[in-house]
């Protein structure tokens, strides 16, 4: 059995624990994810010498819509 618990959300960072129930006890992994907005990603890509070629809004390849898309999946190219 695997369970996840969000422990903190602040400034685009999400901290959470993942607990794995094992025969000998429970193993807990602590994680922190940073969620970047579109502007931040474009800036970071440019600083790395890249440009955003396209953005998909889901793993099915559909276009990105900031209002409804659950994902931001980027295709980048060298400037």
């Amino acid at each position: 059995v695997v369970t996840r618990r969000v422990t903190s959300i602040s400034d685009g960072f999400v901290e959470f624990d993942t607990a794995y129930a094992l025969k000998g006890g429970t193993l807990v992994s602590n994680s922190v994810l940073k969620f970047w907005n579109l502007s931040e990603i474009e800036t970071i890509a440019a600083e790395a010498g890249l440009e955003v070629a396209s953005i998909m809004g889901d793993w099915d390849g559909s276009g990105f819509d900031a209002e409804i898309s659950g994902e931001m999946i980027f295709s980048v190219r060298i400037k």
Side-chain angles (χ1 to χ4, degrees):
V1 175
V2 178
T3 58
R4 288 185 182 81
R5 179 178 62 101
V6 174
T7 57
S8 174
I9 300 174
S10 178
D11 292 327
F13 289 91
V14 176
E15 296 183 40
F16 62 96
D17 298 333
T18 304
Y20 302 89
L22 307 171
K23 290 181 183 178
T26 301
L27 173 66
V28 177
S29 171
N30 303 321
S31 301
V32 178
L33 294 176
K34 167 67 173 153
F35 288 90
W36 302 89
N37 65 41
L38 177 57
S39 176
E40 291 170 320
I41 292 171
E42 289 174 326
T43 298
I44 291 167
E47 290 172 355
L50 304 170
E51 64 182 351
V52 174
S54 64
I55 308 169
M56 294 171 282
D58 205 338
W59 293 103
D60 63 6
S62 59
F64 175 72
D65 180 329
E67 296 297 319
I68 62 171
S69 294
E71 305 285 343
M72 285 191 296
I73 304 162
F74 292 84
S75 172
V76 297
R77 62 179 164 241
I78 299 171
K79 283 185 178 182

